[in-house]
Amino acid sequence: MYDVIIIGAGPAGLTAAVYAARKKLSTLVISENIGGQAALSSDIENYLGFQFVTGADLVQKFEEHIKEFDIDLELGSNVKSITEIAGGFEVETKEDRYNGRVVVIASGKIPKRLNISGEKEFLGKGVTYCATCDAPLFSRKDVAVIGGGNSALDATLQSTKIANKIYLININPKLGGDEVVKEKIEAAENVTILNSTETLKIKGEVFVQQLKIKDIISGLETNLDVQGVFIEIGSIPSVNFVPSSIKRNEIGEIIVDARNRTNITGIFACGDVTEVLEKQIIIAAGEGSKAALGAYEYLARTKDGR
């Protein structure tokens, strides 16, 4: 039985693993991949200690760091369930079952996909799911923001001072989101709002060059010349394996306290899968450290780790 089983190997999960290992807790990390959404960022300029680093390079640094510790890593595995057992919890994957005294859920969020041609091919080559992370890379370029809710509005507003021109493409007849933000966007001279517009295809050679769209009302199809596409149609917490007894907010994020404890004793959560306000790499890493320290305190103060 492990002291700690961590589900997820993004910034939150890996930081939790390092902190747990430094406390001499036997630690297992289960994840489909290493890096999570951090690996999707093409360039990162707001992670302390790195004036500039690509998502792939930062994730490689994470991986090199955890290899310095006695941490078991099970990659390519999707967790199916967490079940409470005597002395801890059983975590089941498709391939195996693992027992741990404590579970830390750091499974992150999954960006909603458009599922159109070119989306996957140009990921990191002009296509991004994180304007906060990547908008500065498109300085003085023409970009498209796809979406009509708060995440799309925020991405557009951030881009107004960075990009040359922004097309805000909304499949619905009118924008949703906060009125104050909408007013600022409508007043921005470099923003063109295209409501009732469907995104059909992302095109280019090595990098994004064009976006094919269709006016839903007229049926007219056109191509926009853009160098960046911010897909901001929301994301969903990766919680399909989480017990229904764990409390979540209205959008499915796990509710935690200041020590990253869930309402189930012995289960902690951290990073983007929780209701933490901002979804940033450095914030996720900090939350991971808090969760591991909380788990350590819990194990240290409870008889037999329970």
Side-chain angles (χ1 to χ4, degrees), residues 83-119:
T83 307
E84 191 163 2
I85 60 173
F89 302 90
E90 180 180 84
V91 176
E92 182 181 1
T93 69
K94 185 177 179 180
E95 300 82 13
D96 213 335
R97 297 172 188 237
Y98 305 92
N99 293 337
R101 293 185 172 89
V102 164
V103 171
V104 175
I105 301 171
S107 47
K109 278 194 169 185
I110 306 169
K112 292 181 180 177
R113 304 294 203 260
L114 286 170
N115 295 317
I116 60 173
S117 175
E119 180 178 8

PDB file of all heavy atoms in Angstrom, residues 83-119:
ATOM      1  N   THR A  83     -12.182   3.743  -4.742  1.00  0.00           N
ATOM      2  CA  THR A  83     -13.070   3.074  -3.786  1.00  0.00           C
ATOM      3  C   THR A  83     -12.423   3.045  -2.424  1.00  0.00           C
ATOM      4  O   THR A  83     -11.230   2.725  -2.300  1.00  0.00           O
ATOM      5  CB  THR A  83     -13.372   1.628  -4.242  1.00  0.00           C
ATOM      6  OG1 THR A  83     -13.864   1.645  -5.586  1.00  0.00           O
ATOM      7  CG2 THR A  83     -14.394   0.974  -3.330  1.00  0.00           C
ATOM      8  N   GLU A  84     -13.184   3.363  -1.402  1.00  0.00           N
ATOM      9  CA  GLU A  84     -12.645   3.322  -0.042  1.00  0.00           C
ATOM     10  C   GLU A  84     -12.551   1.875   0.428  1.00  0.00           C
ATOM     11  O   GLU A  84     -13.485   1.086   0.258  1.00  0.00           O
ATOM     12  CB  GLU A  84     -13.532   4.123   0.907  1.00  0.00           C
ATOM     13  CG  GLU A  84     -12.896   4.349   2.268  1.00  0.00           C
ATOM     14  CD  GLU A  84     -13.549   5.459   3.052  1.00  0.00           C
ATOM     15  OE1 GLU A  84     -14.536   6.041   2.555  1.00  0.00           O
ATOM     16  OE2 GLU A  84     -13.052   5.755   4.157  1.00  0.00           O
ATOM     17  N   ILE A  85     -11.401   1.521   1.000  1.00  0.00           N
ATOM     18  CA  ILE A  85     -11.166   0.179   1.530  1.00  0.00           C
ATOM     19  C   ILE A  85     -10.605   0.317   2.938  1.00  0.00           C
ATOM     20  O   ILE A  85     -10.317   1.435   3.391  1.00  0.00           O
ATOM     21  CB  ILE A  85     -10.187  -0.619   0.640  1.00  0.00           C
ATOM     22  CG1 ILE A  85      -8.827   0.098   0.553  1.00  0.00           C
ATOM     23  CG2 ILE A  85     -10.766  -0.874  -0.746  1.00  0.00           C
ATOM     24  CD1 ILE A  85      -7.744  -0.695  -0.153  1.00  0.00           C
ATOM     25  N   ALA A  86     -10.421  -0.803   3.609  1.00  0.00           N
ATOM     26  CA  ALA A  86      -9.837  -0.770   4.954  1.00  0.00           C
ATOM     27  C   ALA A  86      -8.421  -0.190   4.895  1.00  0.00           C
ATOM     28  O   ALA A  86      -7.571  -0.680   4.155  1.00  0.00           O
ATOM     29  CB  ALA A  86      -9.796  -2.178   5.543  1.00  0.00           C
ATOM     30  N   GLY A  87      -8.170   0.858   5.648  1.00  0.00           N
ATOM     31  CA  GLY A  87      -6.838   1.450   5.704  1.00  0.00           C
ATOM     32  C   GLY A  87      -6.525   2.433   4.597  1.00  0.00           C
ATOM     33  O   GLY A  87      -5.422   2.960   4.537  1.00  0.00           O
ATOM     34  N   GLY A  88      -7.485   2.699   3.693  1.00  0.00           N
ATOM     35  CA  GLY A  88      -7.189   3.641   2.628  1.00  0.00           C
ATOM     36  C   GLY A  88      -8.158   3.568   1.468  1.00  0.00           C
ATOM     37  O   GLY A  88      -9.372   3.455   1.643  1.00  0.00           O
ATOM     38  N   PHE A  89      -7.587   3.573   0.256  1.00  0.00           N
ATOM     39  CA  PHE A  89      -8.401   3.620  -0.951  1.00  0.00           C
ATOM     40  C   PHE A  89      -7.815   2.698  -2.024  1.00  0.00           C
ATOM     41  O   PHE A  89      -6.603   2.490  -2.085  1.00  0.00           O
ATOM     42  CB  PHE A  89      -8.467   5.050  -1.508  1.00  0.00           C
ATOM     43  CG  PHE A  89      -9.024   6.037  -0.534  1.00  0.00           C
ATOM     44  CD1 PHE A  89      -8.191   6.710   0.348  1.00  0.00           C
ATOM     45  CD2 PHE A  89     -10.382   6.288  -0.486  1.00  0.00           C
ATOM     46  CE1 PHE A  89      -8.698   7.627   1.255  1.00  0.00           C
ATOM     47  CE2 PHE A  89     -10.907   7.203   0.421  1.00  0.00           C
ATOM     48  CZ  PHE A  89     -10.064   7.862   1.293  1.00  0.00           C
ATOM     49  N   GLU A  90      -8.682   2.177  -2.860  1.00  0.00           N
ATOM     50  CA  GLU A  90      -8.255   1.421  -4.033  1.00  0.00           C
ATOM     51  C   GLU A  90      -8.515   2.261  -5.275  1.00  0.00           C
ATOM     52  O   GLU A  90      -9.628   2.748  -5.491  1.00  0.00           O
ATOM     53  CB  GLU A  90      -9.016   0.096  -4.144  1.00  0.00           C
ATOM     54  CG  GLU A  90      -8.599  -0.722  -5.368  1.00  0.00           C
ATOM     55  CD  GLU A  90      -9.356  -2.029  -5.470  1.00  0.00           C
ATOM     56  OE1 GLU A  90     -10.480  -2.014  -6.015  1.00  0.00           O
ATOM     57  OE2 GLU A  90      -8.828  -3.052  -4.985  1.00  0.00           O
ATOM     58  N   VAL A  91      -7.469   2.439  -6.070  1.00  0.00           N
ATOM     59  CA  VAL A  91      -7.578   3.179  -7.325  1.00  0.00           C
ATOM     60  C   VAL A  91      -7.478   2.174  -8.473  1.00  0.00           C
ATOM     61  O   VAL A  91      -6.473   1.479  -8.610  1.00  0.00           O
ATOM     62  CB  VAL A  91      -6.470   4.247  -7.439  1.00  0.00           C
ATOM     63  CG1 VAL A  91      -6.540   4.946  -8.792  1.00  0.00           C
ATOM     64  CG2 VAL A  91      -6.586   5.261  -6.304  1.00  0.00           C
ATOM     65  N   GLU A  92      -8.517   2.119  -9.264  1.00  0.00           N
ATOM     66  CA  GLU A  92      -8.569   1.139 -10.348  1.00  0.00           C
ATOM     67  C   GLU A  92      -8.355   1.803 -11.695  1.00  0.00           C
ATOM     68  O   GLU A  92      -8.964   2.828 -12.008  1.00  0.00           O
ATOM     69  CB  GLU A  92      -9.913   0.414 -10.348  1.00  0.00           C
ATOM     70  CG  GLU A  92     -10.022  -0.660 -11.429  1.00  0.00           C
ATOM     71  CD  GLU A  92     -11.368  -1.356 -11.442  1.00  0.00           C
ATOM     72  OE1 GLU A  92     -12.236  -0.995 -10.626  1.00  0.00           O
ATOM     73  OE2 GLU A  92     -11.552  -2.260 -12.288  1.00  0.00           O
ATOM     74  N   THR A  93      -7.456   1.225 -12.489  1.00  0.00           N
ATOM     75  CA  THR A  93      -7.281   1.624 -13.877  1.00  0.00           C
ATOM     76  C   THR A  93      -7.748   0.470 -14.756  1.00  0.00           C
ATOM     77  O   THR A  93      -8.148  -0.585 -14.273  1.00  0.00           O
ATOM     78  CB  THR A  93      -5.807   1.946 -14.183  1.00  0.00           C
ATOM     79  OG1 THR A  93      -5.042   0.729 -14.136  1.00  0.00           O
ATOM     80  CG2 THR A  93      -5.235   2.945 -13.189  1.00  0.00           C
ATOM     81  N   LYS A  94      -7.669   0.660 -16.045  1.00  0.00           N
ATOM     82  CA  LYS A  94      -8.066  -0.405 -16.962  1.00  0.00           C
ATOM     83  C   LYS A  94      -7.151  -1.608 -16.818  1.00  0.00           C
ATOM     84  O   LYS A  94      -7.563  -2.760 -16.996  1.00  0.00           O
ATOM     85  CB  LYS A  94      -8.030   0.108 -18.403  1.00  0.00           C
ATOM     86  CG  LYS A  94      -8.540  -0.882 -19.434  1.00  0.00           C
ATOM     87  CD  LYS A  94      -8.534  -0.275 -20.827  1.00  0.00           C
ATOM     88  CE  LYS A  94      -9.024  -1.280 -21.857  1.00  0.00           C
ATOM     89  NZ  LYS A  94      -9.022  -0.699 -23.229  1.00  0.00           N
ATOM     90  N   GLU A  95      -5.883  -1.353 -16.451  1.00  0.00           N
ATOM     91  CA  GLU A  95      -4.883  -2.408 -16.416  1.00  0.00           C
ATOM     92  C   GLU A  95      -4.689  -3.029 -15.035  1.00  0.00           C
ATOM     93  O   GLU A  95      -4.303  -4.191 -14.926  1.00  0.00           O
ATOM     94  CB  GLU A  95      -3.525  -1.870 -16.906  1.00  0.00           C
ATOM     95  CG  GLU A  95      -3.510  -1.319 -18.316  1.00  0.00           C
ATOM     96  CD  GLU A  95      -4.022   0.111 -18.396  1.00  0.00           C
ATOM     97  OE1 GLU A  95      -4.161   0.770 -17.339  1.00  0.00           O
ATOM     98  OE2 GLU A  95      -4.310   0.571 -19.515  1.00  0.00           O
ATOM     99  N   ASP A  96      -4.935  -2.258 -13.969  1.00  0.00           N
ATOM    100  CA  ASP A  96      -4.533  -2.757 -12.651  1.00  0.00           C
ATOM    101  C   ASP A  96      -5.307  -2.051 -11.549  1.00  0.00           C
ATOM    102  O   ASP A  96      -6.119  -1.156 -11.803  1.00  0.00           O
ATOM    103  CB  ASP A  96      -3.023  -2.530 -12.462  1.00  0.00           C
ATOM    104  CG  ASP A  96      -2.371  -3.624 -11.626  1.00  0.00           C
ATOM    105  OD1 ASP A  96      -3.088  -4.251 -10.826  1.00  0.00           O
ATOM    106  OD2 ASP A  96      -1.154  -3.823 -11.769  1.00  0.00           O
ATOM    107  N   ARG A  97      -5.002  -2.439 -10.305  1.00  0.00           N
ATOM    108  CA  ARG A  97      -5.573  -1.808  -9.115  1.00  0.00           C
ATOM    109  C   ARG A  97      -4.430  -1.464  -8.164  1.00  0.00           C
ATOM    110  O   ARG A  97      -3.495  -2.247  -8.014  1.00  0.00           O
ATOM    111  CB  ARG A  97      -6.559  -2.750  -8.416  1.00  0.00           C
ATOM    112  CG  ARG A  97      -7.759  -3.099  -9.258  1.00  0.00           C
ATOM    113  CD  ARG A  97      -8.589  -4.181  -8.580  1.00  0.00           C
ATOM    114  NE  ARG A  97      -9.632  -4.654  -9.476  1.00  0.00           N
ATOM    115  CZ  ARG A  97     -10.926  -4.646  -9.199  1.00  0.00           C
ATOM    116  NH1 ARG A  97     -11.341  -4.206  -8.023  1.00  0.00           N
ATOM    117  NH2 ARG A  97     -11.818  -5.075 -10.066  1.00  0.00           N
ATOM    118  N   TYR A  98      -4.524  -0.308  -7.522  1.00  0.00           N
ATOM    119  CA  TYR A  98      -3.476   0.150  -6.618  1.00  0.00           C
ATOM    120  C   TYR A  98      -4.122   0.620  -5.318  1.00  0.00           C
ATOM    121  O   TYR A  98      -5.197   1.216  -5.326  1.00  0.00           O
ATOM    122  CB  TYR A  98      -2.686   1.310  -7.236  1.00  0.00           C
ATOM    123  CG  TYR A  98      -2.112   0.988  -8.598  1.00  0.00           C
ATOM    124  CD1 TYR A  98      -2.833   1.279  -9.757  1.00  0.00           C
ATOM    125  CD2 TYR A  98      -0.856   0.407  -8.726  1.00  0.00           C
ATOM    126  CE1 TYR A  98      -2.313   0.987 -11.009  1.00  0.00           C
ATOM    127  CE2 TYR A  98      -0.328   0.119  -9.975  1.00  0.00           C
ATOM    128  CZ  TYR A  98      -1.060   0.404 -11.117  1.00  0.00           C
ATOM    129  OH  TYR A  98      -0.554   0.114 -12.351  1.00  0.00           O
ATOM    130  N   ASN A  99      -3.427   0.376  -4.211  1.00  0.00           N
ATOM    131  CA  ASN A  99      -3.926   0.778  -2.901  1.00  0.00           C
ATOM    132  C   ASN A  99      -3.061   1.895  -2.323  1.00  0.00           C
ATOM    133  O   ASN A  99      -1.831   1.858  -2.425  1.00  0.00           O
ATOM    134  CB  ASN A  99      -3.931  -0.400  -1.929  1.00  0.00           C
ATOM    135  CG  ASN A  99      -4.937  -1.463  -2.341  1.00  0.00           C
ATOM    136  OD1 ASN A  99      -5.888  -1.177  -3.057  1.00  0.00           O
ATOM    137  ND2 ASN A  99      -4.722  -2.689  -1.898  1.00  0.00           N
ATOM    138  N   GLY A 100      -3.726   2.859  -1.718  1.00  0.00           N
ATOM    139  CA  GLY A 100      -3.008   3.965  -1.092  1.00  0.00           C
ATOM    140  C   GLY A 100      -3.737   4.474   0.130  1.00  0.00           C
ATOM    141  O   GLY A 100      -4.970   4.407   0.202  1.00  0.00           O
ATOM    142  N   ARG A 101      -2.988   4.972   1.084  1.00  0.00           N
ATOM    143  CA  ARG A 101      -3.610   5.517   2.296  1.00  0.00           C
ATOM    144  C   ARG A 101      -4.295   6.857   2.011  1.00  0.00           C
ATOM    145  O   ARG A 101      -5.283   7.197   2.644  1.00  0.00           O
ATOM    146  CB  ARG A 101      -2.555   5.669   3.395  1.00  0.00           C
ATOM    147  CG  ARG A 101      -2.005   4.337   3.897  1.00  0.00           C
ATOM    148  CD  ARG A 101      -1.052   4.538   5.066  1.00  0.00           C
ATOM    149  NE  ARG A 101      -0.682   3.248   5.648  1.00  0.00           N
ATOM    150  CZ  ARG A 101       0.344   2.512   5.242  1.00  0.00           C
ATOM    151  NH1 ARG A 101       1.111   2.950   4.254  1.00  0.00           N
ATOM    152  NH2 ARG A 101       0.611   1.353   5.819  1.00  0.00           N
ATOM    153  N   VAL A 102      -3.708   7.584   1.083  1.00  0.00           N
ATOM    154  CA  VAL A 102      -4.251   8.888   0.716  1.00  0.00           C
ATOM    155  C   VAL A 102      -4.295   8.977  -0.808  1.00  0.00           C
ATOM    156  O   VAL A 102      -3.432   8.424  -1.498  1.00  0.00           O
ATOM    157  CB  VAL A 102      -3.366  10.033   1.287  1.00  0.00           C
ATOM    158  CG1 VAL A 102      -3.666  11.355   0.611  1.00  0.00           C
ATOM    159  CG2 VAL A 102      -3.561  10.162   2.783  1.00  0.00           C
ATOM    160  N   VAL A 103      -5.295   9.684  -1.323  1.00  0.00           N
ATOM    161  CA  VAL A 103      -5.382   9.944  -2.758  1.00  0.00           C
ATOM    162  C   VAL A 103      -5.387  11.455  -2.981  1.00  0.00           C
ATOM    163  O   VAL A 103      -6.089  12.191  -2.284  1.00  0.00           O
ATOM    164  CB  VAL A 103      -6.658   9.326  -3.370  1.00  0.00           C
ATOM    165  CG1 VAL A 103      -6.845   9.791  -4.821  1.00  0.00           C
ATOM    166  CG2 VAL A 103      -6.597   7.804  -3.318  1.00  0.00           C
ATOM    167  N   VAL A 104      -4.563  11.893  -3.933  1.00  0.00           N
ATOM    168  CA  VAL A 104      -4.553  13.298  -4.349  1.00  0.00           C
ATOM    169  C   VAL A 104      -5.034  13.351  -5.801  1.00  0.00           C
ATOM    170  O   VAL A 104      -4.397  12.787  -6.693  1.00  0.00           O
ATOM    171  CB  VAL A 104      -3.151  13.929  -4.239  1.00  0.00           C
ATOM    172  CG1 VAL A 104      -3.169  15.357  -4.790  1.00  0.00           C
ATOM    173  CG2 VAL A 104      -2.666  13.917  -2.800  1.00  0.00           C
ATOM    174  N   ILE A 105      -6.157  14.002  -6.021  1.00  0.00           N
ATOM    175  CA  ILE A 105      -6.713  14.131  -7.386  1.00  0.00           C
ATOM    176  C   ILE A 105      -6.166  15.400  -8.007  1.00  0.00           C
ATOM    177  O   ILE A 105      -6.397  16.509  -7.526  1.00  0.00           O
ATOM    178  CB  ILE A 105      -8.245  14.165  -7.341  1.00  0.00           C
ATOM    179  CG1 ILE A 105      -8.797  12.884  -6.701  1.00  0.00           C
ATOM    180  CG2 ILE A 105      -8.807  14.329  -8.755  1.00  0.00           C
ATOM    181  CD1 ILE A 105     -10.288  12.926  -6.432  1.00  0.00           C
ATOM    182  N   ALA A 106      -5.407  15.229  -9.086  1.00  0.00           N
ATOM    183  CA  ALA A 106      -4.809  16.366  -9.798  1.00  0.00           C
ATOM    184  C   ALA A 106      -4.992  16.160 -11.303  1.00  0.00           C
ATOM    185  O   ALA A 106      -4.078  16.352 -12.087  1.00  0.00           O
ATOM    186  CB  ALA A 106      -3.330  16.491  -9.442  1.00  0.00           C
ATOM    187  N   SER A 107      -6.194  15.755 -11.670  1.00  0.00           N
ATOM    188  CA  SER A 107      -6.462  15.321 -13.046  1.00  0.00           C
ATOM    189  C   SER A 107      -6.737  16.456 -14.024  1.00  0.00           C
ATOM    190  O   SER A 107      -6.876  16.232 -15.227  1.00  0.00           O
ATOM    191  CB  SER A 107      -7.642  14.340 -13.058  1.00  0.00           C
ATOM    192  OG  SER A 107      -8.715  14.828 -12.291  1.00  0.00           O
ATOM    193  N   GLY A 108      -6.821  17.696 -13.509  1.00  0.00           N
ATOM    194  CA  GLY A 108      -6.915  18.843 -14.389  1.00  0.00           C
ATOM    195  C   GLY A 108      -8.242  18.981 -15.112  1.00  0.00           C
ATOM    196  O   GLY A 108      -9.262  18.395 -14.748  1.00  0.00           O
ATOM    197  N   LYS A 109      -8.198  19.776 -16.166  1.00  0.00           N
ATOM    198  CA  LYS A 109      -9.364  19.995 -17.003  1.00  0.00           C
ATOM    199  C   LYS A 109      -9.054  19.573 -18.430  1.00  0.00           C
ATOM    200  O   LYS A 109      -7.901  19.539 -18.847  1.00  0.00           O
ATOM    201  CB  LYS A 109      -9.783  21.472 -16.986  1.00  0.00           C
ATOM    202  CG  LYS A 109     -10.624  21.852 -15.790  1.00  0.00           C
ATOM    203  CD  LYS A 109     -11.281  23.196 -16.000  1.00  0.00           C
ATOM    204  CE  LYS A 109     -12.322  23.455 -14.919  1.00  0.00           C
ATOM    205  NZ  LYS A 109     -13.057  24.713 -15.159  1.00  0.00           N
ATOM    206  N   ILE A 110     -10.102  19.292 -19.146  1.00  0.00           N
ATOM    207  CA  ILE A 110      -9.976  18.911 -20.540  1.00  0.00           C
ATOM    208  C   ILE A 110     -10.611  20.007 -21.395  1.00  0.00           C
ATOM    209  O   ILE A 110     -11.817  20.265 -21.264  1.00  0.00           O
ATOM    210  CB  ILE A 110     -10.685  17.572 -20.818  1.00  0.00           C
ATOM    211  CG1 ILE A 110     -10.185  16.490 -19.862  1.00  0.00           C
ATOM    212  CG2 ILE A 110     -10.494  17.158 -22.266  1.00  0.00           C
ATOM    213  CD1 ILE A 110     -11.005  15.224 -19.897  1.00  0.00           C
ATOM    214  N   PRO A 111      -9.834  20.689 -22.256  1.00  0.00           N
ATOM    215  CA  PRO A 111     -10.443  21.714 -23.107  1.00  0.00           C
ATOM    216  C   PRO A 111     -11.482  21.097 -24.039  1.00  0.00           C
ATOM    217  O   PRO A 111     -11.287  20.016 -24.588  1.00  0.00           O
ATOM    218  CB  PRO A 111      -9.257  22.261 -23.917  1.00  0.00           C
ATOM    219  CG  PRO A 111      -8.046  21.841 -23.166  1.00  0.00           C
ATOM    220  CD  PRO A 111      -8.386  20.557 -22.497  1.00  0.00           C
ATOM    221  N   LYS A 112     -12.583  21.803 -24.187  1.00  0.00           N
ATOM    222  CA  LYS A 112     -13.572  21.363 -25.167  1.00  0.00           C
ATOM    223  C   LYS A 112     -13.004  21.577 -26.566  1.00  0.00           C
ATOM    224  O   LYS A 112     -12.388  22.605 -26.853  1.00  0.00           O
ATOM    225  CB  LYS A 112     -14.874  22.134 -25.001  1.00  0.00           C
ATOM    226  CG  LYS A 112     -15.617  21.822 -23.729  1.00  0.00           C
ATOM    227  CD  LYS A 112     -16.920  22.609 -23.660  1.00  0.00           C
ATOM    228  CE  LYS A 112     -17.683  22.311 -22.382  1.00  0.00           C
ATOM    229  NZ  LYS A 112     -18.918  23.129 -22.272  1.00  0.00           N
ATOM    230  N   ARG A 113     -13.204  20.613 -27.414  1.00  0.00           N
ATOM    231  CA  ARG A 113     -12.675  20.674 -28.772  1.00  0.00           C
ATOM    232  C   ARG A 113     -13.757  21.080 -29.765  1.00  0.00           C
ATOM    233  O   ARG A 113     -14.939  20.769 -29.580  1.00  0.00           O
ATOM    234  CB  ARG A 113     -12.109  19.321 -29.193  1.00  0.00           C
ATOM    235  CG  ARG A 113     -11.035  18.742 -28.273  1.00  0.00           C
ATOM    236  CD  ARG A 113      -9.781  19.599 -28.290  1.00  0.00           C
ATOM    237  NE  ARG A 113      -8.591  18.862 -27.900  1.00  0.00           N
ATOM    238  CZ  ARG A 113      -8.033  18.886 -26.711  1.00  0.00           C
ATOM    239  NH1 ARG A 113      -8.588  19.580 -25.750  1.00  0.00           N
ATOM    240  NH2 ARG A 113      -6.925  18.223 -26.461  1.00  0.00           N
ATOM    241  N   LEU A 114     -13.334  21.737 -30.818  1.00  0.00           N
ATOM    242  CA  LEU A 114     -14.253  22.030 -31.922  1.00  0.00           C
ATOM    243  C   LEU A 114     -14.491  20.798 -32.788  1.00  0.00           C
ATOM    244  O   LEU A 114     -15.528  20.656 -33.414  1.00  0.00           O
ATOM    245  CB  LEU A 114     -13.680  23.144 -32.801  1.00  0.00           C
ATOM    246  CG  LEU A 114     -13.729  24.564 -32.247  1.00  0.00           C
ATOM    247  CD1 LEU A 114     -12.913  25.483 -33.139  1.00  0.00           C
ATOM    248  CD2 LEU A 114     -15.155  25.055 -32.129  1.00  0.00           C
ATOM    249  N   ASN A 115     -13.457  19.934 -32.828  1.00  0.00           N
ATOM    250  CA  ASN A 115     -13.500  18.736 -33.668  1.00  0.00           C
ATOM    251  C   ASN A 115     -13.698  19.097 -35.144  1.00  0.00           C
ATOM    252  O   ASN A 115     -14.591  18.584 -35.826  1.00  0.00           O
ATOM    253  CB  ASN A 115     -14.608  17.785 -33.201  1.00  0.00           C
ATOM    254  CG  ASN A 115     -14.330  17.228 -31.817  1.00  0.00           C
ATOM    255  OD1 ASN A 115     -13.210  16.838 -31.503  1.00  0.00           O
ATOM    256  ND2 ASN A 115     -15.353  17.192 -30.975  1.00  0.00           N
ATOM    257  N   ILE A 116     -12.836  20.002 -35.601  1.00  0.00           N
ATOM    258  CA  ILE A 116     -12.847  20.379 -37.010  1.00  0.00           C
ATOM    259  C   ILE A 116     -11.479  20.080 -37.622  1.00  0.00           C
ATOM    260  O   ILE A 116     -10.487  19.877 -36.919  1.00  0.00           O
ATOM    261  CB  ILE A 116     -13.173  21.877 -37.199  1.00  0.00           C
ATOM    262  CG1 ILE A 116     -12.117  22.746 -36.484  1.00  0.00           C
ATOM    263  CG2 ILE A 116     -14.577  22.190 -36.704  1.00  0.00           C
ATOM    264  CD1 ILE A 116     -12.267  24.223 -36.774  1.00  0.00           C
ATOM    265  N   SER A 117     -11.442  20.072 -38.932  1.00  0.00           N
ATOM    266  CA  SER A 117     -10.203  19.798 -39.658  1.00  0.00           C
ATOM    267  C   SER A 117      -9.167  20.877 -39.350  1.00  0.00           C
ATOM    268  O   SER A 117      -9.461  22.073 -39.370  1.00  0.00           O
ATOM    269  CB  SER A 117     -10.495  19.754 -41.164  1.00  0.00           C
ATOM    270  OG  SER A 117      -9.304  19.595 -41.901  1.00  0.00           O
ATOM    271  N   GLY A 118      -7.940  20.450 -39.056  1.00  0.00           N
ATOM    272  CA  GLY A 118      -6.837  21.361 -38.795  1.00  0.00           C
ATOM    273  C   GLY A 118      -6.627  21.678 -37.333  1.00  0.00           C
ATOM    274  O   GLY A 118      -5.562  22.166 -36.951  1.00  0.00           O
ATOM    275  N   GLU A 119      -7.612  21.384 -36.502  1.00  0.00           N
ATOM    276  CA  GLU A 119      -7.497  21.713 -35.071  1.00  0.00           C
ATOM    277  C   GLU A 119      -6.355  20.951 -34.419  1.00  0.00           C
ATOM    278  O   GLU A 119      -5.512  21.531 -33.729  1.00  0.00           O
ATOM    279  CB  GLU A 119      -8.810  21.405 -34.363  1.00  0.00           C
ATOM    280  CG  GLU A 119      -8.801  21.719 -32.876  1.00  0.00           C
ATOM    281  CD  GLU A 119     -10.141  21.445 -32.222  1.00  0.00           C
ATOM    282  OE1 GLU A 119     -11.027  20.872 -32.884  1.00  0.00           O
ATOM    283  OE2 GLU A 119     -10.295  21.798 -31.039  1.00  0.00           O
TER     284      GLU A 119
END
